[in-house]
Amino acid sequence: MNVQRCCLVLVLASSSLAIATNLNSTLTDTHQSSKHNLFARNINTKRPTPRPTKRKANRPARQRTMKPIPTTTFRRGDLTVNVPSLGIRLSTGMSVRLLARANKKVRYANGEYSSIPFHSMPDGAAVIPLSNGKYVYVSNSEMKDGHGGVYGVYFSRNGEIVDYQRLLRGTTRNCSGGKTPWNTWISCEEYGQGQCWQVDPDPGSKHFLKPERTRLGQNGGSFEAVACDDRDLSKPVFYLTEDAEFGALRRYRPWRNSGWDTLHEAGGVATIDYLLFLDENRFKWTTDLNAARNSQKKYYRNVEGIDYFDAGKIYFVSKKTYLLYILDLENLTYITTSTKSSLFGDGKFTDSPDQIIRGTRGAFSYFTEDGGRSVGVYAANKKNKRLAIFEAYAQKYNGDETTGLAFSPDGTKMYACFQDCGCTDSDNLDFSCGCLLEFSRSDGKSFDGSSLSLRFHSGP
């Protein structure tokens, strides 16, 4: 090998050694650096940045629509609303409108008028829902000598008058009555040979304008009102009062519920018996009519209104004893309370009790008087606290009666009549006697609903 080639080999070898040495040093430094920074790298390591996504434009948050809660403005027993045109005072938070006057045609919501005038001497009544969603106010006429009957004021779902019809004619002194579980009306005649008639006010029914005499009245009597115990709808029980000193309170138990035919069919076994008071506030039912008549003469002469409520209790009043009687049908016991008890707040109830009905929610019972000076509507809660709803003060109402008390299906409208309403000869065939009024709460609530506490008195 010559000298030049030898030198070249030595130079190349030295360069390779230097490169290898430098490379080893670099790897060593990198490894040491990684060891020292491993913990820090584990903490600070960031996830890969996600790809940007398209975002929808911000929408305004959906607002929940809350129905405003009506402010309570009604105060039972606080007769502050004076209505001079009618001569009556209403409880705070009430309004009234005149719907009809006797012997004048009824004005409908569309401006048209009925084909016949409103009936004279309106008496017992009820509101009955119809199959088309509307409702009807059925009302008796207590005219004598075959001029009585039953009439219907028809309302839309919104409570506007849409029709007025005669439903029963040719009867005498149709006083009060009662509603059946199948939404018909029983109208009772109040004279010696009176009967009870079933009337179907629903234009969609096959019994519409085809009233029938029921089996309730048997051989006749001076009948007043009907209540129905409908706890067992397969066998409803009816109670019938008689406005006579020597009358009898009857119980009618049909053998089955067959709707309209329940009060007419002769088949099966229908039981009729009578109320008999015993000692120590007990009672029983008897088939001895004469014993029952003696019982009524002694304890509850001239029974007027009757109703069933409070799960197994019958309420009725006597205009001669001024008492409310409550029969416990399960325990066969009874209690009494005076209808002349003091009212809380304004008003004064000093005369004979007449009609008694429960409110749509059962929180209150409502009652009227049988003529006198306290012409109005009054309410009693379950603690028997009594308050005036409205009361008449005009001289023309002396000796008049508030009749036909009823509530719309939702309880927001109260209907009532003055039987005379200022006429001068109600004892004879005066066809101008009577008027129909509609009452409402200005807060739109049910009459059985909550109310303001009575000022200066303990509220109900």
Side-chain angles (χ1 to χ4, degrees):
M1 179 182 297
N2 59 33
V3 176
Q4 290 179 342
R5 181 180 296 178
C6 182
C7 291
L8 178 60
V9 171
L10 289 174
V11 170
L12 291 172
S14 298
S15 299
S16 299
L17 179 60
I19 292 171
T21 301
N22 291 334
L23 178 60
N24 184 59
S25 175
T26 300
L27 291 173
T28 301
D29 292 342
T30 301
H31 176 68
Q32 294 295 328
S33 175
S34 297
K35 282 182 66 177
H36 292 305
N37 292 294
L38 181 61
F39 185 70
R41 190 169 65 246
N42 286 340
I43 292 178
N44 296 325
T45 298
K46 297 181 179 179
R47 294 180 180 178
T49 303
R51 295 177 62 186
T53 57
K54 294 181 178 180
R55 302 183 66 182
K56 296 180 180 180
N58 290 334
R59 295 178 179 177
R62 182 178 295 177
Q63 299 293 325
R64 295 182 62 186
T65 302
M66 302 294 290
K67 293 183 179 181
I69 300 175
T71 301
T72 299
T73 60
F74 178 55
R75 181 182 285 114
R76 298 179 187 89
D78 197 15
L79 302 180
T80 61
V81 181
N82 184 24
V83 186
S85 60
L86 294 174
I88 62 176
R89 292 189 179 91
L90 316 176
S91 289
T92 299
M94 278 181 63
S95 62
V96 61
R97 65 171 179 156
L98 177 67
L99 296 184
R101 281 190 180 275
N103 211 29
K104 294 184 180 297
K105 293 184 176 182
V106 180
R107 189 177 191 277
Y108 300 155
N110 63 4
E112 297 179 358
Y113 287 85
S114 60
S115 59
I116 57 174
F118 189 70
H119 54 288
S120 184
M121 296 192 70
D123 207 322
V127 165
I128 295 178
L130 301 175
S131 57
N132 59 9
K134 301 176 183 179
Y135 65 93
V136 56
Y137 174 83
V138 290
S139 172
N140 285 347
S141 170
E142 206 181 13
M143 294 288 282
K144 63 182 183 179
D145 299 336
H147 293 280
V150 178
Y151 297 78
V153 181
Y154 289 80
F155 292 86
S156 69
R157 290 181 175 89
N158 298 324
E160 298 295 337
I161 299 177
V162 295
D163 199 7
Y164 173 72
Q165 295 202 37
R166 181 190 288 114
L167 305 174
L168 171 67
R169 68 173 69 196
T171 51
T172 296
R173 292 185 60 83
N174 296 73
C175 189
S176 190
K179 190 166 63 173
T180 70
W182 45 89
N183 286 330
T184 61
W185 171 246
I186 302 171
S187 179
C188 300
E189 294 178 288
E190 187 188 354
Y191 75 101
Q193 298 301 313
Q195 288 294 334
C196 298
W197 301 79
Q198 184 170 201
V199 176
D200 193 335
D202 193 337
S205 169
K206 66 179 182 180
H207 300 291
F208 181 60
L209 299 183
K210 297 177 181 179
E212 290 184 37
R213 171 179 160 179
T214 72
R215 295 170 59 84
L216 294 174
Q218 297 174 285
N219 296 324
S222 186
F223 299 121
E224 178 76 22
V226 176
C228 180
D229 176 356
D230 57 359
R231 284 176 294 174
D232 182 358
L233 283 174
S234 67
K235 293 181 180 180
V237 182
F238 294 86
Y239 300 86
L240 173 63
T241 63
E242 192 171 0
D243 186 2
E245 183 174 316
F246 198 58
L249 195 155
R250 304 158 192 245
R251 180 178 67 167
Y252 180 87
R253 292 181 291 169
W255 68 289
R256 67 172 182 174
N257 181 351
S258 53
W260 174 273
D261 293 330
T262 302
L263 301 175
H264 304 286
E265 59 188 3
V269 180
T271 302
I272 297 180
D273 45 21
Y274 313 93
L275 179 65
L276 181 68
F277 272 15
L278 306 173
D279 295 333
E280 299 177 349
N281 285 67
R282 295 176 298 113
F283 71 89
K284 70 175 185 177
W285 300 99
T286 180
T287 56
D288 187 338
L289 178 57
N290 192 62
R293 291 189 183 282
N294 285 320
S295 179
Q296 175 155 323
K297 183 177 181 180
K298 180 178 180 180
Y299 293 103
Y300 43 93
R301 293 170 294 153
N302 298 85
V303 180
E304 293 275 356
I306 188 170
D307 205 351
Y308 167 84
F309 47 100
D310 282 351
K313 291 184 174 61
I314 286 287
Y315 291 63
F316 67 87
V317 292
S318 163
K319 68 182 181 184
K320 295 296 185 181
T321 64
Y322 298 91
L323 291 176
L324 167 68
Y325 300 79
I326 305 174
L327 305 183
D328 186 326
L329 301 176
E330 296 298 322
N331 298 313
L332 298 181
T333 58
Y334 71 91
I335 60 174
T336 63
T337 180
S338 173
T339 61
K340 299 180 74 172
S341 302
S342 299
L343 297 177
F344 285 80
D346 300 327
K348 185 180 293 185
F349 189 92
T350 58
D351 297 291
S352 300
D354 192 351
Q355 188 180 5
I356 177 171
I357 67 169
R358 58 181 165 178
T360 53
R361 298 182 182 179
F364 287 84
S365 58
Y366 297 83
F367 51 100
T368 65
E369 83 306 322
D370 186 40
R373 293 167 295 172
S374 51
V375 184
V377 170
Y378 306 84
N381 65 11
K382 292 185 177 181
K383 296 180 180 179
N384 201 34
K385 185 173 290 186
R386 299 164 184 253
L387 305 106
I389 303 299
F390 81 87
E391 193 170 88
Y393 63 83
Q395 182 68 27
K396 67 179 181 179
Y397 296 116
N398 283 350
D400 202 345
E401 297 181 38
T402 309
T403 62
L405 179 60
F407 294 90
S408 62
D410 63 3
T412 60
K413 298 182 186 300
M414 182 177 77
Y415 302 99
C417 295
F418 289 126
Q419 190 169 58
D420 293 347
C421 203
C423 75
T424 57
D425 197 11
S426 60
D427 291 333
N428 294 306
L429 292 177
D430 187 341
F431 291 92
S432 66
C433 296
C435 56
L436 171 61
L437 305 175
E438 177 191 87
F439 301 85
S440 302
R441 290 177 51 160
S442 58
D443 55 20
K445 295 182 179 181
S446 165
F447 274 91
D448 260 18
S450 60
S451 70
L452 299 174
S453 295
L454 188 60
R455 293 180 299 180
F456 313 119
H457 300 272
S458 300

